Amino acid sequence: MKCSPILSKCCLLLLSAFCFISCTAADQPEQAQVKTENPESQDQGDKLSVLLIDGQNNHNWRETTPILKKILENSGKFTVEVSTTPPGVPRTPRKPANKKLTPEQEKQFEEYVEAWKAEVARLKKENPALWKQWRPDFKKYDVIVSNYNGENWPKAVQQAFDEYVSNGGGFVSVHAADNAFPDWPAYNQMIAVGGWGGRDENSGPMLRLRDGKWEQDVTAGRGGTHGTRIPVVVKVREAEHPIVKGLPLEWMHPADEVYGKLRGPAENVQVLATAYSEPNERGTGEHEPIMMTIDYGKGRVFHTTLGHDTTALQGTGFQITLQRGTEWAATGDVTQTVPEVAWKDNEPTVQAP
């Protein structure tokens, strides 16, 4: 990874003192590049082809993308290529809250701000050309998996993606991918409900479980929230759906963000599983939808809100449903058998990908 000299110098200063950066490691500036990985060593055979998209996210996609790729490949059902978009502009630096800085720290922060400005200027200059180069050929793949949450894709890419899914392509939205593109109507139809990005009652209703049935709640308010990351019980709501058929009706998933108050068109959606958002842990007190399928034109979408970080990706149930959900999105069917698992009763069932 290459950085400008001033940024490198500033990073060393910050490491020797303290970190002023308020965003996660996933938001750090890096040398802009557009890449597509295609492991030539894989035997394509009759495997389904997956394009996994990353490059920008408010979560650490550099850590989660390789694990998502491995989970899919472990099934023996997929070949996976990764397409990385141009990098996003790093967030504006902010001083630590409620902390008075020493003169030396003030000086270091000023140097960091200047380095940040230089990096922003560089990216704004270089990124337009890189975005023109980023033109994934969606039609080459059986299914697209998104680990992306960032700036809008070029209009030509949006149109190509819309046509791909509506004409029968498969799409899988993982965790913060449902935060992306709040102003892209077609995308919001694909995911049914999403969060953050300015979403509110104008974006559509929330899905609420009432007396065993799903209702649309049009109450005013922001779209998107989550409580403390804690282990949660996943409760299957549609036990006969191919993605979850044969799985326990309940299992414990490792610490993760339970997304709540997601909003959107909420059309052509079937909720497969929920998790209770604990009010004592800053949650909503609702059984929030965490796995959904959506029909979009002739295409199929599997939407999972789980998968915040490497801990969450260790969940056995997450791995199985990602594998099966991706196959279902690609083909409309699931041929993978449920593996024999010693499901634990009072703690998360986990496994290394």
Side-chain angles (χ1 to χ4, degrees):
M1 180 171 65
K2 299 179 180 178
C3 298
S4 58
I6 186 171
L7 185 59
S8 299
K9 177 182 176 182
C10 213
C11 289
L12 290 172
L13 285 170
L14 290 173
L15 286 171
S16 63
F18 63 94
C19 180
F20 291 104
I21 304 172
S22 60
C23 54
T24 66
D27 295 309
Q28 303 307 306
E30 68 168 29
Q31 177 67 34
Q33 60 176 270
V34 182
K35 62 184 175 72
T36 299
E37 300 173 6
N38 185 8
E40 296 180 355
S41 62
Q42 286 185 320
D43 179 14
Q44 299 283 331
D46 295 327
K47 294 181 180 180
L48 298 168
S49 57
V50 178
L51 182 66
L52 174 54
I53 298 176
D54 65 12
Q56 297 184 29
N57 205 313
N58 59 313
H59 296 65
N60 196 342
W61 59 267
R62 292 179 184 85
E63 289 189 354
T64 57
T65 285
I67 300 176
L68 292 170
K69 182 175 184 289
K70 192 170 190 302
I71 290 170
L72 291 171
E73 291 174 342
N74 283 348
S75 70
K77 198 73 182 177
F78 309 100
T79 60
V80 184
E81 297 180 19
V82 177
S83 182
T84 298
T85 70
V89 174
R91 295 179 183 177
T92 305
R94 292 184 296 178
K95 294 182 181 180
N98 304 319
K99 182 175 181 180
K100 183 175 177 59
L101 304 184
T102 66
E104 179 62 23
Q105 289 172 336
E106 287 283 2
K107 180 181 178 181
Q108 290 173 351
F109 182 74
E110 291 173 4
E111 290 177 346
Y112 178 76
V113 170
E114 290 303 312
W116 171 82
K117 289 179 180 177
E119 185 67 8
V120 169
R122 181 183 70 80
L123 291 174
K124 287 184 175 180
K125 180 180 179 180
E126 296 178 357
N127 272 5
L130 293 172
W131 276 114
K132 287 182 180 179
Q133 297 172 22
W134 191 71
R135 293 293 186 272
D137 187 357
F138 299 116
K139 297 188 297 296
K140 288 174 52 179
Y141 304 92
D142 295 301
V143 59
I144 312 300
V145 177
S146 179
N147 191 28
Y148 181 92
N149 175 29
E151 61 189 282
N152 288 334
W153 293 346
K155 290 295 184 182
V157 178
Q158 290 187 358
Q159 182 177 351
F161 186 67
D162 187 1
E163 291 175 355
Y164 166 81
V165 181
S166 63
N167 289 330
F171 175 48
V172 177
S173 172
V174 179
H175 198 56
D178 73 10
N179 300 180
F181 313 129
D183 300 319
W184 182 5
Y187 188 82
N188 286 288
Q189 290 281 349
M190 292 179 203
I191 62 173
V193 288
W196 293 273
R199 288 179 172 90
D200 59 17
E201 65 274 10
N202 297 310
S203 307
M206 299 175 284
L207 290 171
R208 287 289 171 248
L209 188 61
R210 299 289 182 263
D211 298 324
K213 297 181 179 180
W214 289 99
E215 298 181 357
Q216 295 188 352
D217 185 344
V218 297
T219 304
R222 63 174 288 184
T225 184
H226 66 76
T228 308
R229 291 202 303 273
I230 58 173
V232 296
V233 175
V234 173
K235 185 174 180 62
V236 172
R237 299 289 178 175
E238 297 290 342
E240 292 303 307
H241 192 281
I243 295 176
V244 293
K245 188 172 183 178
L247 288 168
L249 295 181
E250 293 186 1
W251 74 83
M252 186 167 283
H253 173 72
D256 207 340
E257 292 175 338
V258 176
Y259 282 179
K261 297 185 178 180
L262 299 182
R263 292 182 174 275
E267 298 172 352
N268 304 314
V269 57
Q270 183 178 27
V271 178
L272 303 186
T274 62
Y276 185 65
S277 182
E278 292 285 351
N280 293 334
E281 297 289 347
R282 302 186 296 111
T284 62
E286 297 277 358
H287 292 275
E288 298 287 357
I290 60 169
M291 291 183 203
M292 295 161 269
T293 58
I294 303 98
D295 296 324
Y296 182 75
K298 298 178 181 178
R300 294 164 299 275
V301 179
F302 174 58
H303 177 177
T304 177
T305 71
L306 302 177
H308 171 76
D309 58 10
T310 56
T311 296
L313 300 187
Q314 304 294 313
T316 299
F318 172 84
Q319 295 179 30
I320 293 172
T321 53
L322 178 66
Q323 292 166 342
R324 293 164 68 88
T326 302
E327 182 183 3
W328 178 87
T331 69
D333 193 14
V334 176
T335 61
Q336 301 170 67
T337 58
V338 176
E340 293 185 8
V341 175
W343 298 94
K344 299 179 180 179
D345 292 332
N346 300 310
E347 60 181 292
T349 302
V350 299
Q351 63 186 39

